Amino acid sequence: MKIKNLRYFAYALLAVAFSACQKEPSTSELNDDYLVYTDYDTSIDFAAFETYFIPDSILVIGSNYEAQYWKDENAQEIIATVIAQMNNSGYTQSFDKEAADLGIQMSYVEEVTYFVGYNNPYWWWYYPYYWAPGYWGDWLGWHYPYSVYYGYTAGSLLVEMVNLDAPQEGSKKLPVIWDSFIGGLLTSNSQVNLQRTIDGIDQAFEQTPIW
């Protein structure tokens, strides 16, 4: 795993280890700082992609067994920040999901903790049934081309980029070629939380040396 230019880190988000007890550091003392982590598939030529599709809502991960989506003005401002960063990186937004080269999916952990392991990398793994590969096309599951192991706690935002140009046969898994974790977003002030989220997204793109 690579951690680049972590300007906002109070300490490292994680150690590269595949221990079952590995957890995200506590954010209880991060009064003025938050965490931004990014990783990507180093074998991918990101300049080869031209278009992307992004849904109009953010998936909310909580204790509910059914998918819930965040669509209010704050959510739209967060989504608009990702759109602006993608456009600034040279990509063109497509409103046709099937015609796009890349897909962007965003998830917010509202109240519970989830963990990602190398052998079972997609943190909710169909339970509950949130973002599913079938949303993007005819893929069997998810594939991270890089090793993944970290934890998500309440007040975390996950932004993932999927390669929609990958083979779309039923036996194939959809590659997640870039992802960003932003943690430590929750304070007692909702406007501060929103600004931290926006700043975290900007930092995630800034620290990724692929565009």
Side-chain angles (χ1 to χ4, degrees):
M1 293 184 176
K2 301 178 178 64
I3 300 179
K4 302 287 188 179
N5 303 324
L6 304 187
R7 186 175 62 195
Y8 297 100
F9 264 57
Y11 45 74
L13 172 62
L14 66 145
V16 181
F18 301 128
S19 168
C21 63
Q22 182 72 20
K23 297 180 180 179
E24 174 194 345
S26 170
T27 60
S28 60
E29 297 180 357
L30 297 182
N31 297 321
D32 299 312
D33 299 276
Y34 51 90
L35 310 173
V36 181
Y37 162 82
T38 54
D39 206 349
Y40 62 96
D41 183 358
T42 58
S43 69
I44 291 292
D45 178 10
F46 286 83
F49 301 108
E50 296 181 356
T51 60
Y52 69 94
F53 177 88
I54 185 170
D56 63 356
S57 58
I58 300 172
L59 175 67
V60 177
I61 307 297
S63 58
N64 199 313
Y65 289 130
E66 296 182 359
Q68 296 179 313
Y69 295 93
W70 183 15
K71 297 184 178 183
D72 65 11
E73 292 182 1
N74 287 347
Q76 297 310 312
E77 188 170 351
I78 293 169
I79 293 169
T81 303
V82 176
I83 291 173
Q85 286 289 352
M86 289 294 293
N87 293 346
N88 290 339
S89 299
Y91 302 109
T92 301
Q93 184 180 7
S94 171
F95 297 94
D96 182 354
K97 180 171 61 177
E98 295 183 358
D101 301 322
L102 300 168
I104 305 294
Q105 56 188 32
M106 303 177 63
S107 309
Y108 177 75
V109 182
E110 183 178 47
E111 60 182 70
V112 291
T113 302
Y114 290 87
F115 295 98
V116 183
Y118 179 77
N119 294 324
N120 192 17
Y122 213 67
W123 37 314
W124 49 83
W125 206 248
Y126 306 110
Y127 180 75
Y129 197 80
Y130 293 125
W131 287 123
Y135 174 83
W136 298 107
D138 185 23
W139 282 279
L140 178 63
W142 301 99
H143 170 59
Y144 284 82
Y146 41 87
S147 302
V148 177
Y149 199 108
Y150 38 80
Y152 296 88
T153 57
S156 301
L157 182 73
L158 179 67
V159 183
E160 294 176 306
M161 178 185 294
V162 297
N163 179 7
L164 300 180
D165 286 341
Q168 202 172 145
E169 303 168 0
S171 60
K172 301 291 185 179
K173 292 185 177 181
L174 177 59
V176 180
I177 59 175
W178 177 84
D179 72 344
S180 171
F181 161 82
I182 306 169
L185 298 175
L186 289 183
T187 71
S188 59
N189 187 309
S190 60
Q191 285 302 114
V192 171
N193 297 343
L194 177 61
Q195 190 59 53
R196 281 190 172 197
T197 304
I198 291 172
D199 291 344
I201 292 170
D202 290 339
Q203 173 61 24
F205 279 85
E206 179 181 336
Q207 72 186 36
T208 304
I210 56 178
W211 27 60

